Amino acid sequence: MSDRTRPDGGEGFVAAADETLRGAYDPPMSLEDYVDRVLENPTAAASGAGYVLAAVESYGTREVRERGEALDRYRFFDDPANDGEHAVLGNTRALNAFVDDLRAAAAGRGNDETIVWIDGPTATGKSEFKRCLVNGLRAFSKTDAGRRYTVEWNVVGAGAGVGGTGAASLSYGDGGDAGEWYRSPVQSHPLSVFPEAVRESIAAAVDGDAYPIAADTELDPFSREAYDHLESVYRERGRRDLFSAIADRDHLRVTSYVVDVGRGVGVLHAEDDGTPKERLVGSWMGGMLRELDSRGRKNPQAFSYDGVLSQGNGVATVVEDASQHADLLRRLLNVPDERRVKLDKGIGMDLDTQLIVISNPDLDAELDRHAERGDADPLKALKRRLSKHEFRYLTNRRLEARLLRREIAGATSIAAAGRDDGVAEASGGGDAAASADGWDAGDASDPGAAPLSIGVRESDGTVVERELAPHAIGAAALYAVVTRLDADDLPGDLDLIETAELYETGEVRRGDEAVTIDDVTVADGDGRNGIPVTYVRDAIADLLAATSDRSHPELPVERVVTPTDVLDAMAEGLADAPLFSRAEVAEFEGRRGPVAARVRERQREDVVDAILAEETVSTETVAEYVEHVYAWDDGDSTTREPTARERGDEAPDPLAMKVFETETLGRFDEGDYRGTDPGRDVERFRRERVIRGLTRYAWRNRGDAFSVDEVDLAEVPELKAVIDANDLADVKRRFPDLDPAAWADPPADTETERVKSATVDRLCEGGYTPASAELTSRAVMEDVREEWPDVDGERAGDEGANGGPDRNGGESPWD
């Protein structure tokens, strides 16, 4: 509840609870009313697989990017019913394949005997998948569209009771009082009360193409006892309306139930034990057998329906850590094939459940024990029925950062779910706030770039605020991701960092050229191995619990965890972690360097942008320049948009363009022009970086009415690079007396002191704290002090002075 809807006193909370439950259930209804409900809404009678499919599809889809590819993802797996607490991050291909299995099983397209198998190494989201599934089914069953129904029985008034005790009685488990209503212990489908021919007629009358109804299941043994007793009594009385007498509202009613573990969802855990029959369906209770008249056979009233199949009947059955229950897997074969299990000789139970097994890779070894026997392999039939879907470690840095925030601080909200995975607008992931002039430290919407503050309890009981500095989460996420990439099979000629960028954004820019996911062959082995998120989480937790030996006379820098701290902790702990082999340790340690370089580059961009915040080129200035460029290119056939002259605008101003390119951008000098006429390099820049950039944007948005006047120039990567093109040369040109060596403790009344003060203030406006701003700016200036004497104050072509084409060539995974 929000603060505005939270009640003031106990009475208000009770009323709120009443309102919550009121919407979760339907009042009990007659069998006739239920059939009317089914004819109106076939989902009310959908099969187990069909019901799970309906729940998944009820939330719709969204577009995501994984491994560089745009995919449609079912929102159900974002755990919207629980505000994202158990969202399955990534693995969209595997999830979509799971939904395809559901669709095939619901339609009976030869896949109804399939057992879905979710496989993958530890910490890849398999447990979250199970929790998300339960959460979503529970929430769906509380909606009008997703109500799930079963039957309840009461034999009072029908003469001698079930079991022949003389008084009308019906019970199971620990027994009960005469006259009570008893629900089917296995969520028997209400349509199972009807004779088979009538069930088929109902199915034919229902428009159930999307979610076919469950019309082929019989009553469970317990309900059959009640039905047979009522039928015997009313047949002896000569009732011609025999079925109506049995299904009378006084004896039978249809009731809704909330789907949950034990009611429609069965879950078998690794630690569950017992005989195979007890784990699958339940067991006979000796005390009840002695009390009940079994009529020469065991009475179903004496059966405990607590096995995983009994609890999961009607919706879904999940076997967790399936390798721990390998002895049961072959016994499950008859469930999807025959849709029936035996309780004992002569007593069976129809089942309607979607079977799902979840395992680590050790189940593969268990299933392959007899593979050398070929056709004589006793597990061959089982393997044929298993539909395997592999969960892998994430290879999307942004998603991994979101997962880390959830693991470290419980940041689970999905208020912006679907906007942080590389396709749509990024979601807010931290505490950073944009400054008034629009400048921001990094990308506060990036869950990896944003800082994170956590309260840590000290040994004396006090709580101290610790800070994960901006980019610390992103550094950890990128390091984890690059360890999961197959270095022997990288796409194209990309390196590890570029591959990570490609998987996140679908594109890597190299100067004026772009390498897209369609241009390369993606490796198949990525994500199967590498550093798991649990290792990263524990490394960061240890850092948060410890206090560094850093100190500052005014700022609590010892409470800040920097990106370098995180990378060092991750690399140094590899050798002592039992889950990595020696070869993996050596390989993973070697991948730290490129990640650290990218982090330093990103921190430098933050600091340089903060220094030059007031010097940043405005979009209005760039827009005016673009208009002149289009007018200048008026006679060129490659121009795709109306020129300034065609729109009646002023003619191009050669001097204005030259001044913008030389003074504002600092890209060219007098030698690149003949007077005001551009030389070859300037012409190439105008056509390839400016015009082509807008042309690409127009092509990507070709479904809309496109006009240059309506373009947000900051959305065009090539022009974004022009707008944001700050580098070290710009800093030295603007502040020639700045001394990076004196940054840590600048002398009073110097340019260095003034620049540092303004820079720290702007970093804080963009999301840094004073302590993390101090540490980050110090680290950047320590790096640049060696370069400073060689910086000439002018850009060197398109490569810039800040580390290569990425700075001026478009978005990096940090942008």
Side-chain angles (χ1 to χ4, degrees):
M1 293 182 174
S2 66
D3 291 338
R4 286 183 293 179
T5 61
R6 185 176 289 114
D8 293 330
E11 182 179 351
F13 281 106
V14 171
D18 286 339
E19 184 63 29
T20 300
L21 295 182
R22 188 178 298 119
Y25 299 94
D26 278 348
M29 67 182 73
S30 68
L31 190 61
E32 181 181 352
D33 290 339
Y34 171 74
V35 173
D36 289 338
R37 175 69 57 86
V38 171
L39 294 174
E40 179 182 345
N41 176 25
T43 305
S47 64
Y51 184 79
V52 178
L53 177 64
V56 171
E57 293 184 334
S58 67
Y59 290 95
T61 62
R62 62 184 178 91
E63 190 179 69
V64 300
R65 186 177 298 282
E66 291 181 19
R67 301 185 76 196
E69 183 181 8
L71 300 170
D72 287 329
R73 176 184 173 89
Y74 290 94
R75 294 180 181 274
F76 178 93
F77 299 110
D78 297 328
D79 197 16
N82 209 33
D83 198 29
E85 181 176 358
H86 298 296
V88 182
L89 299 183
N91 287 301
T92 296
R93 276 194 171 278
L95 294 171
N96 288 351
F98 164 69
V99 178
D100 289 341
D101 279 349
L102 293 177
R103 189 170 290 109
R109 296 197 304 264
N111 290 62
D112 48 351
E113 77 273 12
T114 294
I115 300 174
V116 176
W117 178 13
I118 305 297
D119 180 59
T122 183
T124 50
K126 301 186 302 297
S127 294
E128 299 304 305
F129 167 78
K130 186 238 0 184
R131 297 185 183 103
C132 180
L133 184 68
V134 174
N135 287 342
L137 292 171
R138 182 194 303 119
F140 184 58
S141 68
K142 293 180 181 180
T143 67
D144 290 337
R147 290 280 192 267
R148 201 61 171 161
Y149 300 91
T150 188
V151 292
E152 291 183 343
W153 299 91
N154 188 334
V155 298
V156 169
V162 175
T165 59
S169 66
L170 178 66
S171 65
Y172 55 84
D174 295 329
D177 298 329
E180 290 186 1
W181 286 93
Y182 286 92
R183 179 175 296 184
S184 164
V186 292
Q187 303 79 233
S188 268
H189 202 288
L191 292 183
S192 62
V193 178
F194 287 96
E196 181 178 0
V198 179
R199 291 201 306 269
E200 293 175 353
S201 298
I202 296 173
V206 170
D207 181 15
D209 291 341
Y211 310 113
I213 69 172
D216 56 352
T217 58
E218 302 283 348
L219 281 171
D220 66 271
F222 176 82
S223 297
R224 176 56 61 184
E225 288 286 314
Y227 184 98
D228 289 348
H229 168 70
L230 293 168
E231 182 185 40
S232 175
V233 169
Y234 288 115
R235 186 174 63 249
E236 291 176 2
R237 295 181 183 178
R239 291 284 295 266
R240 294 183 60 83
D241 55 344
L242 187 57
F243 184 80
S244 295
I246 296 169
D248 186 271
R249 185 64 170 76
D250 290 335
H251 295 311
L252 171 67
R253 66 186 186 186
V254 176
T255 182
S256 66
Y257 65 95
V258 172
V259 173
D260 210 335
V261 175
R263 294 193 304 271
V265 176
V267 178
L268 187 62
H269 303 279
E271 61 272 18
D272 292 340
D273 57 13
T275 67
K277 190 180 81 169
E278 287 174 337
R279 282 177 285 161
L280 285 177
V281 290
S283 62
W284 299 101
M285 297 178 292
M288 284 291 293
L289 283 175
R290 287 190 295 271
E291 292 178 16
L292 293 168
D293 174 13
S294 62
R295 306 181 200 173
R297 63 175 174 81
K298 292 178 180 177
N299 193 310
Q301 290 174 260
F303 194 81
S304 114
Y305 296 86
D306 56 3
V308 64
L309 292 176
S310 298
Q311 296 181 25
N313 189 38
V315 183
T317 298
V318 180
V319 180
E320 281 194 317
D321 298 313
S323 59
Q324 303 297 316
H325 299 285
D327 59 327
L328 296 184
L329 294 182
R330 276 190 289 175
R331 294 174 181 265
L332 290 174
L333 287 178
N334 71 310
V335 176
D337 284 355
E338 302 174 14
R339 300 185 179 276
R340 186 172 179 83
V341 294
K342 287 185 178 180
L343 305 184
D344 202 44
K345 294 179 181 179
I347 305 177
M349 179 172 71
D350 278 6
L351 284 173
D352 174 30
T353 187
Q354 176 59 54
L355 284 172
I356 304 168
V357 300
I358 300 175
S359 77
N360 291 327
D362 50 359
L363 181 59
D364 286 287
E366 187 72 26
L367 293 174
D368 287 338
R369 281 189 306 160
H370 310 289
E372 72 281 356
R373 296 170 60 179
D375 290 340
D377 183 354
L379 298 176
K380 188 173 183 179
L382 171 63
K383 289 189 283 188
R384 181 179 65 82
R385 286 166 173 79
L386 288 169
S387 178
K388 182 178 179 180
H389 306 299
E390 185 181 9
F391 275 27
R392 300 186 183 184
Y393 294 124
L394 299 176
T395 54
N396 180 307
R397 181 200 61 89
R398 188 180 288 264
L399 277 181
E400 182 72 11
R402 181 180 165 195
L403 178 59
L404 274 172
R405 297 181 79 88
R406 184 170 78 182
E407 290 287 327
I408 295 168
T412 62
S413 175
I414 60 165
R419 301 190 314 231
D420 63 352
D421 35 28
V423 172
E425 177 187 355
S427 71
D431 309 316
S435 61
D437 60 3
W439 179 81
D440 201 9
D443 181 358
S445 64
D446 179 349
L452 182 63
S453 296
I454 300 175
V456 177
R457 189 174 297 278
E458 303 281 77
S459 57
D460 60 359
T462 60
V463 176
V464 176
E465 198 79 7
R466 300 297 304 274
E467 178 194 0
L468 284 164
H471 309 301
I473 296 291
L478 183 61
Y479 191 13
V481 164
V482 299
T483 66
R484 300 165 185 173
L485 304 180
D486 186 351
D488 296 329
D489 197 14
L490 294 175
D493 61 346
L494 304 179
D495 60 27
L496 288 168
I497 301 298
E498 289 174 322
T499 301
E501 177 182 350
L502 179 72
Y503 285 172
E504 181 178 342
T505 66
E507 180 179 284
V508 176
R509 299 204 59 82
R510 288 181 163 181
D512 294 333
E513 300 301 322
V515 178
T516 70
I517 196 67
D518 297 327
D519 298 328
V520 298
T521 300
V522 177
D524 185 54
D526 296 329
R528 286 199 173 108
N529 300 291
I531 294 178
V533 67
T534 48
Y535 173 86
V536 184
R537 176 200 63 199
D538 294 344
I540 293 177
D542 290 343
L543 286 172
L544 291 170
T547 302
S548 72
D549 56 3
R550 284 190 288 263
S551 63
H552 188 277
E554 299 175 359
L555 301 174
V557 293
E558 71 280 359
R559 299 180 184 176
V560 178
V561 176
T562 68
T564 301
D565 294 336
V566 172
L567 294 179
D568 288 346
M570 289 175 64
E572 292 168 1
L574 291 171
D576 296 328
L579 67 160
F580 304 123
S581 67
R582 290 184 179 179
E584 287 177 319
V585 170
E587 184 177 357
F588 296 165
E589 286 177 342
R591 299 189 184 189
R592 179 194 178 281
V595 176
R598 177 52 61 95
V599 173
R600 289 194 298 272
E601 175 186 322
R602 191 61 187 91
Q603 290 178 313
R604 177 184 288 199
E605 290 173 6
D606 278 1
V607 173
V608 169
D609 286 348
I611 292 175
L612 297 173
E614 294 183 356
E615 309 299 318
T616 300
V617 183
S618 69
T619 55
E620 291 79 9
T621 302
V622 176
E624 182 180 356
Y625 168 71
V626 169
E627 289 290 342
H628 286 303
V629 169
Y630 265 89
W632 164 81
D633 196 51
D634 186 14
D636 192 284
S637 61
T638 62
T639 303
R640 301 178 61 91
E641 298 304 319
T643 64
R645 289 178 181 173
E646 291 171 347
R647 292 193 303 269
D649 297 342
E650 296 179 2
D653 187 335
L655 180 60
M657 287 186 285
K658 178 179 177 180
V659 170
F660 183 89
E661 291 159 350
T662 57
E663 297 183 8
T664 304
L665 296 182
R667 283 184 173 270
F668 305 102
D669 56 28
E670 192 65 36
D672 294 307
Y673 299 84
R674 298 179 300 277
T676 58
D677 294 333
R680 182 179 303 174
D681 290 342
V682 178
E683 288 183 349
R684 185 171 65 250
F685 170 78
R686 291 177 183 177
R687 289 195 173 100
E688 294 185 2
R689 298 300 297 277
V690 179
I691 295 175
R692 184 184 296 180
L694 277 168
T695 300
R696 284 178 179 149
Y697 183 88
W699 176 250
R700 291 168 184 162
N701 296 272
R702 57 191 179 276
D704 302 322
F706 178 75
S707 170
V708 175
D709 295 328
E710 299 172 357
V711 174
D712 180 356
L713 295 174
E715 293 182 12
V716 183
E718 290 83 357
L719 297 182
K720 174 178 170 60
V722 172
I723 297 171
D724 297 340
N726 292 324
D727 62 20
L728 202 58
D730 293 317
V731 175
K732 190 168 186 178
R733 185 173 59 249
R734 176 63 181 84
F735 304 106
D737 295 329
L738 177 66
D739 182 7
W743 187 274
D745 187 20
D749 297 325
T750 62
E751 186 168 63
T752 303
E753 181 192 43
R754 291 189 292 272
V755 171
K756 179 179 179 180
S757 177
T759 299
V760 169
D761 287 345
R762 293 187 186 115
L763 286 172
C764 291
E765 291 172 358
Y768 284 80
T769 64
S772 61
E774 174 71 22
L775 291 176
T776 301
S777 62
R778 276 194 190 189
V780 169
M781 287 302 169
E782 187 67 27
D783 276 348
V784 306
R785 63 186 297 180
E786 300 297 327
E787 306 172 34
W788 193 254
D790 298 325
V791 176
D792 61 6
E794 293 181 345
R795 279 192 176 85
D798 285 353
E799 297 300 308
N802 197 25
D806 186 62
R807 177 59 182 150
N808 293 318
E811 296 178 331
S812 75
W814 299 91
D815 287 332

